[in-house]
Amino acid sequence: MKIAVVNETRGFERRVALVPSVVATLVKRGWTVTIETGAGLGANISDQEFQAAGAVIGHNKAEMLAAADVIAKVSPPTPEEWQHWQAGQIVVGFLNPLGMPQTIGALNARGITAISMEMIPRTSRAQSMDALSSQASIAGYKAVILAAEALPRYFPMLTTAAGTIPPAKVLVMGAGVAGLQAIATARRLGALVEAYDIRPAVKEEVQSLGAKFIEITLKEETTAQGGYAKEISQNAQEYARQVLTKHVQEADVVITTAQVPGKKAPLLVTEEMIAGMKPGSVIVDLVAEQGGNCEGSQPGQTIEKHGVKILGPVNLPSTVAVHASQLYSKNISNFLQLLVKDGAIHLDFGDDIISSACVCHGGEVRHPRVKEMLAPVQV
Ligand code: NAD
């Protein structure tokens, strides 16, 4: 099998799909790995390190891509990238099929097989390939670091000769992978942490990290298939916001991470709630790009409302590019090893991981939601 890793071209993307330690294991299996020159620089990896691990350094993008069976990527490809790809090739990466169905349509039209890392099921067997989790955990960690940097207060409680400093109060909304890592990081920095999630199943995990779980009983089902959250009604959202207002306004830091796959992020913090927060407080909205949990948050920007700083960071895993690439690379290689039987690529759609992750193959869009989104509108 021949794998190609090219420079990521989309906006601020410092991660690389494969790191030298993983390249070495793939090369040992007899695979050829070609890395475009400079592809590792964003993650502080030189061409020499890749070479020492057994990779071939590609200086001619068109040539290296023409020879590849598999193209390993991090961010969704741009049209400039896929113009070099050919029918029969496999691309694997974060392809954002529900957010960017047209990209899948374009890849499919070219006869490319697209594997979306987002679509790998969240099952025990697929845990080692779960790139959503490995990267969300980094985002949760970094959100707290950004909040600590923006907050004009200490996080930990301190008793000093010059007086006692109370611990910062942190509220985490959405206690999935990112939220749980945010809780753990804020606790490590000494903050008092509260957390809320519409899935009651996370209560024990929140408590085991030393945070208080805010319980809000909603009179509707909040958990969908696969353990993901369900989109809840406007009434239920309004009720939850009423209960949460007091907690938001008592917090020094609010970190929001709530998402429902394929939907706009739910609105959890309104401007009215922000108006009642202490000046100098900080909100980090990790899903600003998906519509935002916090009213007015802007992707990639920090704004100020009523004396409260609202951060809307995008692609936080990329800011921790070394470890993000290391974990992502492992996820990718574990998945690729599943694709290979007796030394050859075999797309076994009887395997639920391969079947779920493969969004298009052989000129057919396989993911039902993406297919629906690409269908011509009937008039
Ligand atoms: P996500 O990023 O889709 O959402 C983040 C969190 O937001 C979720 O916990 C969700 O319940 C919460 N949320 C959604 N709407 C909300 C609202 N209106 N108010 C408050 N919170 C709201 O979630 P994720 O981190 O990707 O995790 C999704 C699921 O996958 C979870 O059940 C998680 O435990 C599960 N998971 C399983 C495995 C595994 O078994 N291998 C690995 C990782 C994640």
Side-chain angles (χ1 to χ4, degrees):
M1 174 148 86
K2 291 184 179 140
I3 308 171
V5 174
V6 283
N7 278 290
E8 293 290 328
T9 59
R10 200 176 274 278
F12 178 60
E13 183 55 79
R14 301 184 63 83
R15 292 170 292 178
V16 60
L18 292 177
V19 299
S21 58
V22 171
V23 167
T25 61
L26 298 179
V27 170
K28 233 183 234 165
R29 294 175 74 95
W31 301 359
T32 304
V33 182
T34 308
I35 309 274
E36 187 183 6
T37 180
L41 291 180
N44 303 101
I45 306 168
S46 64
D47 285 357
Q48 289 75 9
E49 284 172 89
F50 275 120
Q51 235 162 356
V56 176
I57 303 300
H59 292 277
N60 181 324
K61 194 197 276 281
E63 261 176 31
M64 67 176 268
L65 284 172
D69 301 311
V70 174
I71 299 147
K73 278 202 50 67
V74 184
S75 285
T78 58
E80 291 71 40
E81 284 181 81
W82 75 61
Q83 65 171 337
H84 296 288
W85 303 352
Q86 295 154 16
Q89 288 183 320
I90 297 175
V91 59
V92 52
F94 282 127
L95 304 180
N96 191 11
L98 298 179
M100 302 167 75
Q102 302 307 334
T103 298
I104 305 303
L107 296 177
N108 190 49
R110 295 183 81 92
I112 291 161
T113 296
I115 307 279
S116 156
M117 292 302 282
E118 295 95 328
M119 292 298 160
I120 287 183
R122 313 299 278 281
T123 56
S124 309
R125 190 169 78 92
Q127 236 166 10
S128 66
M129 307 163 209
D130 185 355
L132 275 184
S133 289
S134 69
Q135 306 301 297
S137 181
I138 294 176
Y141 156 81
K142 195 63 190 271
V144 175
I145 305 299
L146 291 182
E149 160 79 19
L151 188 71
R153 292 168 175 270
Y154 265 127
F155 257 49
M157 189 184 110
L158 292 174
T159 309
T160 79
T164 301
I165 306 285
K169 288 185 177 166
V170 174
L171 169 62
V172 176
M173 296 163 110
V177 180
L180 290 171
Q181 187 54 253
I183 295 170
T185 306
R187 290 285 300 135
R188 282 184 208 118
L189 285 177
L192 274 183
V193 185
E194 288 192 315
Y196 165 66
D197 197 293
I198 50 168
R199 291 180 300 117
V202 299
K203 177 180 172 181
E204 274 180 29
E205 287 173 274
V206 165
Q207 289 174 336
S208 73
L209 292 169
K212 186 177 157 222
F213 186 68
I214 302 168
E215 243 165 298
I216 303 176
T217 311
L218 300 175
K219 292 190 187 104
E220 56 190 72
E221 189 49 69
T222 57
T223 307
Q225 229 189 353
Y228 281 103
K230 244 185 162 166
E231 195 172 34
I232 55 170
S233 66
Q234 286 301 323
N235 281 349
Q237 288 203 34
E238 183 48 40
Y239 174 66
R241 283 194 292 265
Q242 278 173 22
V243 180
L244 288 166
T245 298
K246 176 169 86 76
H247 299 270
V248 168
Q249 296 180 346
E250 281 173 0
D252 298 300
V253 169
V254 176
I255 292 175
T256 65
T257 77
Q259 290 197 78
V260 178
K263 308 271 180 193
K264 185 180 174 293
L267 179 65
L268 304 181
V269 183
T270 60
E271 178 147 4
E272 214 182 326
M273 290 156 97
I274 299 168
M277 290 177 79
K278 290 181 292 252
S281 302
V282 176
I283 300 174
V284 181
D285 188 351
L286 273 192
V287 295
E289 220 177 359
Q290 288 76 40
N293 289 150
C294 172
E295 196 167 358
S297 69
Q298 297 295 328
Q301 288 182 36
T302 298
I303 56 162
E304 199 159 328
K305 269 193 179 178
H306 309 286
V308 175
K309 274 198 180 131
I310 305 168
L311 283 66
V314 293
N315 199 359
L316 281 185
S318 176
T319 67
V320 188
V322 171
H323 286 146
S325 302
Q326 184 183 318
L327 299 173
Y328 182 71
S329 173
K330 263 293 216 214
N331 297 142
I332 288 261
S333 96
N334 288 332
F335 180 80
L336 291 179
Q337 292 180 44
L338 191 71
L339 281 191
V340 174
K341 297 259 149 56
D342 303 323
I345 296 173
H346 174 59
L347 285 168
D348 174 8
F349 292 132
D351 182 309
D352 69 314
I353 300 177
I354 298 173
S355 178
S356 305
C358 180
V359 287
C360 71
H361 171 68
E364 188 206 340
V365 175
R366 302 186 68 257
H367 192 284
R369 286 275 306 282
V370 179
K371 199 171 188 166
E372 224 175 84
M373 288 191 263
L374 287 170
V377 182
Q378 302 290 331
V379 281

